[in-house]
Amino acid sequence: MQHRPRKRFGQNFLADQQIIERIVNVIAPGVGQVIVEIGPGEAALTTLLAASGAELHLLEIDRDLGASLEQRFALAPNVHLHRGDALQMDLSALTSGQRFRLVGNLPYNISTPLLFHALRWSDLIVDMHFMLQQEVVNRMAAQPGGKAWGRLSIMCQYRCTVTPLFTVPPEAFRPAPKVQSAIVRLVPHPKPPVHITDMARFERLVAQAFSMRRKTLRNCLRGLLDADAIAAAGIDPGLRPEALDLSQFAALAERMNAD
Ligand code: SAM
């Protein structure tokens, strides 16, 4: 019997075999690799990933899907199923501290929290390939100066090189989502591109700046940095946050440290 897609788990299953193959081709799985897949669902990608001989860890929250995955891959020694919420899982423990690749056609309702969760292990991650809403991929890969540039772009680009690969139309899924989707590749930097002494302060600064993106820095950073401190970082306090690049946000965060 066919599984009835559950909205609360963001279930839009890939149903177009050509697109499934195209995605697995860009991932290029192979023997000797450790791959973690978030949300294998009905195993659209999983079947090809498992056939590559890679050591595969599947994270699935849906009990019914978990049961059928267990049956389906019972005889595959390279496939390991972890049932539960990926957001609660320690990815380094699952893979016994080995470096791993991360893939997934992510549930769109929790794609941003899942991304931030994954980024915690960026020093162990070889690369990531995700299907996301195209609008989210645009924000991840955005450059300063435009509307799409914001917290997500900055946090992703601080950790990784972000490369959008191709778009996927709604008809490729069952049920069809209302929006276009896209495949994105993230490759963690071997060394951060800018120096940040205190990550928590940097995150607070970026979050506050973009919570009022129409205001000038002087106004939107009130309580964190005054106009003199902003100017001392070499930045015009009359600019809007979307004009600043990653290194300028890092410079502002260092000013907070100096306070
Ligand atoms: N990979 C399949 C495909 O491409 O057809 C399914 C993709 S579907 C968009 C998202 C999958 O993630 C579903 O199987 C869903 O049950 C699972 N999922 C949703 N939330 C999850 C969570 N917090 N942890 C693990 N899996 C989750």
Side-chain angles (χ1 to χ4, degrees), residues 3-157:
H3 175 81
R4 244 182 91 205
R6 295 195 164 104
K7 218 175 168 174
R8 72 175 186 283
F9 291 147
Q11 291 176 352
N12 296 95
F13 298 109
L14 270 167
D16 181 320
Q17 198 55 31
Q18 272 188 348
I19 288 180
I20 292 169
E21 284 170 22
R22 191 168 174 206
I23 297 169
V24 177
N25 278 340
V26 297
I27 298 172
V31 175
Q33 301 177 10
V34 179
I35 303 183
V36 176
E37 185 187 5
I38 300 177
E42 294 178 316
L45 301 170
T46 321
T47 305
L48 293 175
L49 294 172
S52 75
E55 204 65 29
L56 199 56
H57 293 269
L58 309 177
L59 321 184
E60 178 55 63
I61 198 169
D62 186 304
R63 284 171 191 231
D64 298 337
L65 291 174
S68 31
L69 287 162
E70 201 159 74
Q71 272 191 351
R72 185 170 188 153
F73 294 105
L75 297 178
N78 61 324
V79 180
H80 316 279
L81 178 64
H82 308 271
R83 296 168 73 164
D85 182 354
L87 278 172
Q88 304 297 327
M89 293 187 197
D90 176 340
L91 302 188
S92 66
L94 289 184
T95 53
S96 316
Q98 297 176 85
R99 284 175 65 71
F100 63 91
R101 307 182 71 198
L102 187 61
V103 305
N105 169 13
L106 296 187
Y108 293 164
N109 50 344
I110 55 161
S111 59
T112 311
L114 274 171
L115 268 171
F116 281 106
H117 186 65
L119 287 174
R120 291 168 54 190
W121 286 279
S122 56
D123 52 344
L124 275 182
I125 295 179
V126 177
D127 58 19
M128 301 177 247
H129 289 84
F130 295 129
M131 171 97 74
L132 292 160
Q133 287 173 257
Q134 179 162 26
E135 176 266 328
V136 175
V137 171
N138 291 345
R139 284 196 280 129
M140 291 163 75
Q143 293 301 309
K147 271 201 194 131
W149 175 248
R151 178 172 172 247
L152 189 64
S153 340
I154 291 174
M155 300 319 293
C156 287
Q157 293 175 32

